[in-house]
Amino acid sequence: MTDRQEVWIVDRFEGEYAVVERALHETLHLPRALLPVGVREGDALRVIVSAGDEEVRLAIARDALETSRRATEARRILGDLKQQYPGGKVEL
Amino acid sequence: MAPSCARTPANATNRQPALELRFLDVGQGDAILIRHAGKTVLVDAGETDGIVTILRALGVDTIDLAVASHNHDDHIGGLDTVLQAFPVRIYLDNGHPANTRIQRRVLELVRDRGVPYRDAGALTDSVIVLGDATLRVIPSPVTGTRVNPNDESVALVVERAGFRALLTGDSERRELGALLREARIPDVDVLKAPHHGSRTGVIPSWLARTRPEVVAISVGAGNTYGLPDEDALAAYGEGGRAVLRTDLDGDIVVTVDGRGCYEVRSGRTGEEVRAHGGPAACAVPPTQESRP
């Protein structure tokens, strides 16, 4: 078995399915039951992929630190844009 | 919303070209193209870069306004390629952060390319002028923590003469209820079914208030989620209302003339008019003055 680590982001839930972003422009549609019970939209998941000749094992855990880091970064970029372009109107 | 009437062609009695709303067939996702008076507005961009090919085939070379109704991948997944492929004059979203790579990529492109950004919730004037038509931006009234991002969707009312269309992204019951309580939702001619025809996107009071004559559902063929929901479809179809779906009909194209007369066609049936309506004037032959 060789292990590798990935970070997936929960994009959204659609009924009994979760849509997770594995990479930019790559999403997976998973039964919600395969994710930790407390997972919410926007959560980062630390995924350990153990691949062998006959089987692949996935260990999926919510990563609170990575979730927080990404949330901070998203707020920062959005905050910069809002500061640069406050309020106003849309004139085409 | 005006009652339906016998029609004269929506394109034939108007000095200006028709206002066009095109619900694009982008698979499971939303992308709506609005064109009028030489301006082009794109509301959401589906999930993939296929949107660029679609837009180019329609002759689009500039996006005057790109709107992200909310930040789920099936709405903004193609926006980064749009920002790379076309000049985008203004970018508007709901002002809410997501943690995904795709939102970060989109916002970095907006920032790095110097595209003016607008937060729907911070606009001082919610009306956007498109020639003799308008787009009214309605930010979600739902606030607080642990809000379902679908309920943070930006709504848009498209108006020309007496015609109105309502686009509400993926709004679910909570946002729809809040919008109704704020009494900001008019009756309309064309309603985009919220959330791809999900049962969470339709409530009786919503249909009673909006009273659409035509419902457009953006939904992918054979999608994993079983959309559109059968109960929602039944609700939309009540009273013989016209219901069109991108999975079955391809692009859904609404054209509106200067009197508010509208016609609906679909990509799979070409020039056949699937639905039409508008004010009483639509039944009157065009006057010499109103001919193009």
Side-chain angles (χ1 to χ4, degrees), chain B residues 27 34 173 182 187 205 241:
Chain B
I34 303 168
R173 292 179 184 124
E182 290 203 344
D187 58 356
S205 53
R241 188 183 287 126

Side-chain angles (χ1 to χ4, degrees), chain A residues 7 21 25 29 41-42 82 88, chain B residues 72 80 95 99 101-102 124 225:
Chain A
V7 174
E21 183 189 58
H25 296 151
H29 297 226
E41 292 191 12
K82 289 179 182 181
Chain B
H72 282 155
D80 60 332
N99 294 346
R101 297 172 179 89
I102 184 62
T124 51
Y225 322 119

Side-chain angles (χ1 to χ4, degrees), chain B residues 115-128:
Chain B
V115 179
Y117 169 85
R118 295 289 185 272
D119 173 358
L123 292 178
T124 51
D125 184 345
S126 63
V127 176
I128 301 168

